[in-house]
Amino acid sequence: MFKWLNGKKSKEGSKAHSLNIDELKEQIKSGLNVGSDLVFRNLKRDGQRLVFCFMSSLTDKTTLDDFVIEPIQSNIETEWESEAIAQILPISDISAVNQLTEVVEGINEGKVYIYPEGQPFGLLANVGSTVERGLEKAETESLVYGPKIAFTESLIGNVNILRHNIKDLNLCMEDFTVGKRSKTNGKIVYIKDIADENNVNAFREKISQLEIDHVPGSTVLGQLIENNSWSVFPQLATTELPDRITIALMSGKVVVLMDRSPDALYGPTPFFTFFESTEDVYMRWNMGMSLRILRLFAALLSVLLTPAYVAVLTYHYEVIPSPLLVSLGQSRSNVPFPPVFEALLLEFFIELLREAGARLPTKVGQTMGIVGGIVIGQAAVDAGFTSNILIIIIALSALGSFTTPSYLMGTAIRMIRFPIIISAGIWGGIGIMVSFCFFIIHLLKLNTLGVPYLSPIYPFRWKDLGHSFFRLPPQYLSKRPLTNHTVDDERFSPNKVSKKDVDE
C-alpha cells in the first residue's frame, strides 16, 4: 500500500531522521526555524512513545483530535507500528516518509507527522486548515446575462467549480509547483481530445523553466511566461469567471489555475479575444455581434479621438467646418496652453480620478469619480485651463476604453493614447498615422503561445471571423476556431441539426 523509503541519504543530501524521538524533535526544530506554533504531542503506552508533530497555525485541531489522535488512543489492540496505524486512520491523504526534508515540507504544508519510536519511518497525514472565502459575485467583470459566480483563492474550490461545469472524462488536470521558496501549487487544465498538444507543452515548458522565489498569482505568472514582456499588450488573458474558462476549454484553449489566486490564466488569446464577453454567447447572435463591434469601435475611438483633436487644432484648421470653427475659437479664447499640453493635462486628470476611485472603498470611490469629474471639469473650464469641447472628447475617450471587458486590455489602450497625443502635437496627422502604424506593426510581431496576435485577421482566416471579430448564428459555428489548432475541430454535425415546428 505504501512505498517505504530506506534510511540512506537521498541524492539531494537530505538525511533520514533518527529513530530517537528527542533527537528527531531537535532536527525538526532546526529544519523549520520556527517558534511557538510548532507543537509536539507525546503519547506513551507500554513503555513505547509516539509523537505528533504539527504547526498549530496551519492545522485543523478538530480533524487532528477526531481523526488522528482519538483513533490511535481508542484502538488499544493495534500495535504502534507505522503500517498498522496507517490502516486505522480515517484520512485519505496519508503517506509514509523517513527523509527529514520531506517531513519538514509536509509539516510546513499543514500536515501532522506521526512517528512511533523505534520504527524506520513515520506518517504524514493531511489535517491542514485553509482560510477560504465563500463563492461570491464577480467584482471585476460585470455581467447582465449568464452565471455571476466567481473563482476564489482556493485551488480545490476552483477545480470543483470546473468539474461541475465540464463533466467530460477527457478533462485533464496536471499538477505543478512554482516558486523555489513559496512552492505555490497549480494545475494546467485542458480537454485532452480538443486542446492542441503544442499549446499544452508550451505551458509545461515555460512554467518548468521558471527560476524564481515567489509567484504571487496567475496574472504574475502570465507576465513571466509570455513571449514579449516589453509590450503593453497582454499576450495571455486572465478572468475570474468560471463560465469564460468553460467556453475557453471547449474551444481548445489551455487554462492555468493557481492556489491563492482568484484569477485563471488561459491561452492562446489573440488580440480580439480581449473584446469578447460571455454575454455575447448568452444573448441573441445579432445583439452579441453588435455589442462586440461596438467595443472594437469604442477602443479605436478611445485611441484616436483625442490625438485627432490635437492634430486638427495644431496643424489642420481647414478640416473644421466654419460654424464649428467659430464656436471652437470662442471656447479656446481663454486657454493659454497649446492643444497638446491641454489634452495631456486633462488625460492625466482623468487617469488620476480613475485610480483614486479604484483605490477608495466602493461607495466612496463612486462618489469621488462622479463629483470629482464634474467639479474638476467645470472648474478647469471656468479657470481657462481647457475648453468645453475637449472635456467632451476626453470623456468619450475614457468611456471608449471602459467598454473593453478585459481590464488589462483597457489599461493598455489608455496607455498608448499618450504617445499618440504627443506625436499628434509634434507632427499633426502624419504623427498620428506614424504612431498608429507603429502599434499595428508591433501587434503583427506579437504572438500568444505561437499563435499570431492579430489572428484571424493576420493570417486571414475567414472561417474564424465568426468566433472572434463577429458572432454568427449558432448553426454556422459547427467548427471550433482554426486558430487554436484543435484535435477535434467539430463542435456538432450541421447535417444532424434540424429545426422542426412544434406541430411536428
Side-chain angles (χ1 to χ4, degrees), residues 407-425:
Y407 181 80
L408 293 176
M409 182 57 72
T411 305
I413 290 172
R414 290 192 294 271
M415 286 184 63
I416 66 175
R417 258 203 320 256
F418 288 95
I420 298 180
I421 291 173
I422 295 173
S423 299

Side-chain angles (χ1 to χ4, degrees), residues 195-258:
D196 182 18
E197 188 65 23
N198 292 329
N199 293 336
V200 180
N201 287 332
F203 270 110
R204 288 194 195 112
E205 293 175 4
K206 289 177 181 293
I207 294 174
S208 63
Q209 291 171 0
L210 288 179
E211 294 291 338
I212 189 171
D213 287 346
H214 174 57
V215 179
S218 56
T219 53
V220 178
L221 180 66
Q223 298 174 45
L224 293 172
I225 65 177
E226 65 186 7
N227 293 327
N228 189 345
S229 58
W230 292 97
S231 176
V232 297
F233 297 98
Q235 290 125 62
L236 293 171
T238 58
T239 181
E240 62 174 348
L241 295 174
D243 218 46
R244 182 186 286 272
I245 292 301
T246 301
I247 295 172
L249 288 170
M250 285 297 182
S251 64
K253 299 182 187 295
V254 184
V255 177
V256 172
L257 301 174
M258 287 187 64

Side-chain angles (χ1 to χ4, degrees), residues 163-180:
R163 289 288 188 187
H164 276 84
N165 286 0
I166 305 177
K167 296 181 173 61
D168 191 334
L169 298 179
N170 289 311
L171 180 64
C172 298
M173 297 189 179
E174 299 180 6
D175 295 328
F176 69 87
T177 303
V178 65
K180 293 187 293 184

Side-chain angles (χ1 to χ4, degrees), residues 55-66 110 127-130:
M55 303 278 277
S56 60
S57 57
L58 301 176
T59 303
D60 185 347
K61 307 300 188 303
T62 303
T63 304
L64 177 63
D65 292 339
D66 295 345
V127 292
S129 63
T130 56

Side-chain angles (χ1 to χ4, degrees), residues 286-320:
N286 40 23
M287 297 179 185
M289 183 176 66
S290 301
L291 291 178
R292 191 173 295 182
I293 295 175
L294 176 64
R295 295 186 203 111
L296 291 168
F297 177 75
L300 186 65
L301 191 73
S302 176
V303 171
L304 297 180
L305 190 58
T306 307
Y309 169 87
V310 173
V312 166
L313 288 187
T314 307
Y315 295 101
H316 312 292
Y317 275 104
E318 66 277 4
V319 303
I320 305 176

